Amino acid sequence: MIDKREILAANPLLSGLPADVVEELMAVSVLKQLSDGECVYAQGDDGDGLFGVVQGRIRLSNSSRDGKELLVMLVEPGDWIGEVSLLDGLPRSLDAFAMGDCAVLFLPSARFNALLKSKPELYQYFIPMLCRKLRLALSYVEGVALFPLAARLAQRILELLRFYGVEDDKPGVLINVHLPQEDLAKMLGVSRQAISRELKRLEADGTIALAYGQLRVMNTVALQDELDRYV
Ligand SMILES: Nc1ncnc2c1ncn2[C@@H]1O[C@@H]2COP(=O)(O)O[C@H]2[C@H]1O
């Protein structure tokens, strides 16, 4: 039996929420385990509840009928997903899949709506979250419309560096997340070949190093310069 309190105490998911709300969330939510690749929900499903990532990662993506996938983001422990369809009553805006073994806190929609009704101050928590996601979405749209692939790739690598960068005993900073070139291509909405070409170019001028599926950033300033030419 999983001890919900013990697991959540070490997770940022509930930090920033008033103590009485945390107590209520504890009482009405369910901790669920998901295995690698398991579907949390699919785009177009009804919004049945809110999910908080406790352990592991959730992959949010959008697929077209002809099988193309846009990888919108990797959701980390401490973040909530699923609030959009609960707030606007429309179907799920994206597919959500577990990446690796995950634990999520599930809050059924009826409980979420009742909680918002009894504690409207909770909007102060969800509105900034929505604004963050809106800004992120706008910055990606802006990138596609205005920047060449080289600048968008530099921007993504810098973002990944902020999230997953670790220093070890080797030169440069390792991006410590398993993200195959295929996924990087899906994040930027281009072909695997186009990403491979750009990565090779960055490797040739010493900006990054590629080895065994890992990406290591050797020159952050060069990436920033690539981006600054457009932003
Ligand atoms: N552009 C985005 N960036 C980050 N998260 C998003 C974005 N769009 C949607 N989401 C999240 O993905 C979820 C998909 O299901 P919902 O539409 O219920 O709620 C959505 C948000 O929680």
Side-chain angles (χ1 to χ4, degrees):
M1 177 77 183
I2 314 163
D3 185 340
K4 208 161 54 171
R5 262 176 207 280
E6 207 175 290
I7 291 180
L8 289 174
N11 189 281
L13 202 56
L14 303 178
S15 57
L17 286 170
D20 56 336
V21 173
V22 171
E23 277 313 308
E24 212 159 324
L25 277 173
M26 287 281 190
V28 299
S29 61
V30 186
L31 198 58
K32 289 185 174 183
Q33 300 285 349
L34 301 167
S35 45
D36 185 30
E38 199 172 329
C39 181
V40 185
Y41 52 72
Q43 187 178 35
D45 284 354
D46 286 339
D48 57 347
L50 189 69
F51 293 82
V53 184
V54 178
Q55 281 166 4
R57 282 188 196 109
I58 302 287
R59 178 187 174 99
L60 288 178
S61 62
N62 198 336
S63 295
S64 64
R65 269 176 202 270
D66 61 357
K68 279 196 209 130
E69 185 192 7
L70 178 68
L71 179 51
V72 176
M73 75 177 300
L74 306 179
V75 186
E76 298 289 314
D79 267 340
W80 295 91
I81 58 164
E83 74 290 350
V84 171
S85 50
L86 296 198
L87 292 170
D88 67 11
L90 295 172
R92 295 292 191 196
S93 57
L94 296 170
D95 295 323
F97 286 92
M99 258 182 111
D101 291 338
C102 292
V104 290
L105 193 67
F106 175 66
L107 181 65
S109 54
R111 301 287 200 171
F112 174 74
N113 289 328
L115 201 61
L116 279 182
K117 213 167 186 179
S118 65
K119 304 210 181 305
E121 64 272 24
L122 264 182
Y123 283 106
Q124 287 172 17
Y125 182 80
F126 285 104
I127 288 174
M129 184 196 301
L130 279 171
C131 292
R132 237 183 11 252
K133 291 178 185 179
L134 178 65
R135 281 180 185 274
L136 199 66
L138 285 174
S139 80
Y140 295 157
V141 172
E142 182 188 55
V144 171
L146 301 176
F147 309 155
L149 178 57
R152 286 161 55 212
L153 178 61
Q155 185 180 36
R156 274 310 166 110
I157 294 176
L158 287 169
E159 268 171 31
L160 291 167
L161 194 68
R162 270 196 296 279
F163 250 112
Y164 305 109
V166 290
E167 298 205 23
D168 52 15
D169 53 356
K170 300 195 182 77
V173 186
L174 176 70
I175 295 185
N176 195 20
V177 61
H178 179 68
L179 203 61
Q181 289 191 16
E182 182 93 33
D183 276 354
L184 213 45
K186 286 175 180 172
M187 279 185 154
L188 294 163
V190 295
S191 69
R192 158 94 169 66
Q193 290 80 356
I195 282 295
S196 176
R197 264 197 309 275
E198 286 299 326
L199 289 173
K200 281 198 184 116
R201 184 183 60 79
L202 290 173
E203 191 177 32
D205 68 18
T207 304
I208 61 167
L210 299 166
Y212 309 112
Q214 285 186 328
L215 199 159
R216 187 175 285 277
V217 177
M218 310 303 287
N219 187 347
T220 315
V221 176
L223 285 175
Q224 192 61 53
D225 284 349
E226 188 100 51
L227 187 58
D228 288 347
R229 262 184 252 148
Y230 299 92
V231 181

